[in-house]
PDB file of all heavy atoms in Angstrom:
ATOM      1  N   MET A 469      31.181 -17.490 -64.726  1.00  0.00           N
ATOM      2  CA  MET A 469      31.638 -16.196 -64.209  1.00  0.00           C
ATOM      3  C   MET A 469      30.724 -15.051 -64.660  1.00  0.00           C
ATOM      4  O   MET A 469      30.846 -14.515 -65.755  1.00  0.00           O
ATOM      5  CB  MET A 469      33.073 -15.909 -64.710  1.00  0.00           C
ATOM      6  CG  MET A 469      34.097 -16.899 -64.214  1.00  0.00           C
ATOM      7  SD  MET A 469      34.363 -16.815 -62.433  1.00  0.00           S
ATOM      8  CE  MET A 469      34.517 -18.567 -62.045  1.00  0.00           C
ATOM      9  N   GLN A 471      30.363 -12.262 -63.023  1.00  0.00           N
ATOM     10  CA  GLN A 471      30.734 -11.125 -62.183  1.00  0.00           C
ATOM     11  C   GLN A 471      30.851  -9.832 -62.982  1.00  0.00           C
ATOM     12  O   GLN A 471      30.464  -8.776 -62.516  1.00  0.00           O
ATOM     13  CB  GLN A 471      32.093 -11.401 -61.502  1.00  0.00           C
ATOM     14  CG  GLN A 471      32.078 -12.572 -60.557  1.00  0.00           C
ATOM     15  CD  GLN A 471      31.105 -12.409 -59.405  1.00  0.00           C
ATOM     16  OE1 GLN A 471      29.913 -12.216 -59.598  1.00  0.00           O
ATOM     17  NE2 GLN A 471      31.595 -12.491 -58.184  1.00  0.00           N
ATOM     18  N   GLU A 502      -4.646  -6.701 -43.606  1.00  0.00           N
ATOM     19  CA  GLU A 502      -6.065  -7.049 -43.725  1.00  0.00           C
ATOM     20  C   GLU A 502      -6.534  -7.973 -42.603  1.00  0.00           C
ATOM     21  O   GLU A 502      -7.581  -7.763 -42.004  1.00  0.00           O
ATOM     22  CB  GLU A 502      -6.334  -7.712 -45.076  1.00  0.00           C
ATOM     23  CG  GLU A 502      -6.356  -6.731 -46.245  1.00  0.00           C
ATOM     24  CD  GLU A 502      -6.445  -7.462 -47.579  1.00  0.00           C
ATOM     25  OE1 GLU A 502      -6.764  -8.669 -47.595  1.00  0.00           O
ATOM     26  OE2 GLU A 502      -6.178  -6.821 -48.603  1.00  0.00           O
ATOM     27  N   GLU A 546      26.303   1.596 -41.109  1.00  0.00           N
ATOM     28  CA  GLU A 546      27.308   2.185 -42.003  1.00  0.00           C
ATOM     29  C   GLU A 546      27.589   3.632 -41.607  1.00  0.00           C
ATOM     30  O   GLU A 546      28.742   4.059 -41.521  1.00  0.00           O
ATOM     31  CB  GLU A 546      26.774   2.123 -43.440  1.00  0.00           C
ATOM     32  CG  GLU A 546      27.852   2.307 -44.497  1.00  0.00           C
ATOM     33  CD  GLU A 546      27.215   2.669 -45.837  1.00  0.00           C
ATOM     34  OE1 GLU A 546      25.971   2.556 -45.944  1.00  0.00           O
ATOM     35  OE2 GLU A 546      27.954   3.075 -46.745  1.00  0.00           O
ATOM     36  N   THR A 569      19.901   9.325 -40.946  1.00  0.00           N
ATOM     37  CA  THR A 569      19.244   8.167 -41.558  1.00  0.00           C
ATOM     38  C   THR A 569      17.729   8.203 -41.357  1.00  0.00           C
ATOM     39  O   THR A 569      16.979   8.402 -42.304  1.00  0.00           O
ATOM     40  CB  THR A 569      19.797   6.860 -40.967  1.00  0.00           C
ATOM     41  OG1 THR A 569      19.665   6.890 -39.547  1.00  0.00           O
ATOM     42  CG2 THR A 569      21.247   6.683 -41.331  1.00  0.00           C
ATOM     43  N   PHE A 581       6.811   2.257 -41.341  1.00  0.00           N
ATOM     44  CA  PHE A 581       7.776   1.954 -40.275  1.00  0.00           C
ATOM     45  C   PHE A 581       7.074   1.911 -38.918  1.00  0.00           C
ATOM     46  O   PHE A 581       7.299   1.010 -38.109  1.00  0.00           O
ATOM     47  CB  PHE A 581       8.876   3.023 -40.292  1.00  0.00           C
ATOM     48  CG  PHE A 581      10.004   2.781 -39.330  1.00  0.00           C
ATOM     49  CD1 PHE A 581      10.565   1.518 -39.192  1.00  0.00           C
ATOM     50  CD2 PHE A 581      10.506   3.820 -38.559  1.00  0.00           C
ATOM     51  CE1 PHE A 581      11.613   1.295 -38.301  1.00  0.00           C
ATOM     52  CE2 PHE A 581      11.547   3.601 -37.672  1.00  0.00           C
ATOM     53  CZ  PHE A 581      12.093   2.347 -37.544  1.00  0.00           C
ATOM     54  N   MET A 588       5.535  -5.203 -34.139  1.00  0.00           N
ATOM     55  CA  MET A 588       6.650  -5.892 -33.484  1.00  0.00           C
ATOM     56  C   MET A 588       6.490  -5.940 -31.971  1.00  0.00           C
ATOM     57  O   MET A 588       6.923  -6.889 -31.331  1.00  0.00           O
ATOM     58  CB  MET A 588       7.969  -5.207 -33.823  1.00  0.00           C
ATOM     59  CG  MET A 588       8.496  -5.582 -35.190  1.00  0.00           C
ATOM     60  SD  MET A 588      10.118  -4.860 -35.504  1.00  0.00           S
ATOM     61  CE  MET A 588      11.045  -5.483 -34.106  1.00  0.00           C
ATOM     62  N   PRO A 592       3.358 -11.356 -29.995  1.00  0.00           N
ATOM     63  CA  PRO A 592       4.352 -12.074 -29.192  1.00  0.00           C
ATOM     64  C   PRO A 592       5.507 -12.656 -30.013  1.00  0.00           C
ATOM     65  O   PRO A 592       6.665 -12.511 -29.650  1.00  0.00           O
ATOM     66  CB  PRO A 592       3.531 -13.188 -28.539  1.00  0.00           C
ATOM     67  CG  PRO A 592       2.156 -12.640 -28.439  1.00  0.00           C
ATOM     68  CD  PRO A 592       1.976 -11.750 -29.640  1.00  0.00           C
ATOM     69  N   GLY A 618      38.936   3.292 -23.488  1.00  0.00           N
ATOM     70  CA  GLY A 618      40.221   2.611 -23.464  1.00  0.00           C
ATOM     71  C   GLY A 618      40.114   1.181 -22.978  1.00  0.00           C
ATOM     72  O   GLY A 618      40.970   0.678 -22.257  1.00  0.00           O
ATOM     73  N   ILE A 624      33.370  -6.036 -19.461  1.00  0.00           N
ATOM     74  CA  ILE A 624      32.025  -6.049 -18.873  1.00  0.00           C
ATOM     75  C   ILE A 624      31.426  -4.656 -18.769  1.00  0.00           C
ATOM     76  O   ILE A 624      30.225  -4.461 -18.934  1.00  0.00           O
ATOM     77  CB  ILE A 624      32.030  -6.743 -17.488  1.00  0.00           C
ATOM     78  CG1 ILE A 624      30.602  -6.855 -16.947  1.00  0.00           C
ATOM     79  CG2 ILE A 624      32.940  -6.035 -16.522  1.00  0.00           C
ATOM     80  CD1 ILE A 624      30.496  -7.628 -15.674  1.00  0.00           C
ATOM     81  N   GLY A 666      23.114   9.969 -16.894  1.00  0.00           N
ATOM     82  CA  GLY A 666      23.221   8.847 -15.963  1.00  0.00           C
ATOM     83  C   GLY A 666      21.900   8.402 -15.402  1.00  0.00           C
ATOM     84  O   GLY A 666      20.919   9.133 -15.411  1.00  0.00           O
TER      85      GLY A 666
END
Side-chain angles (χ1 to χ4, degrees):
Chain A
M469 297 293 140
Q471 297 299 57
E502 284 173 15
E546 197 198 349
T569 55
F581 185 44
M588 281 185 56
I624 185 174

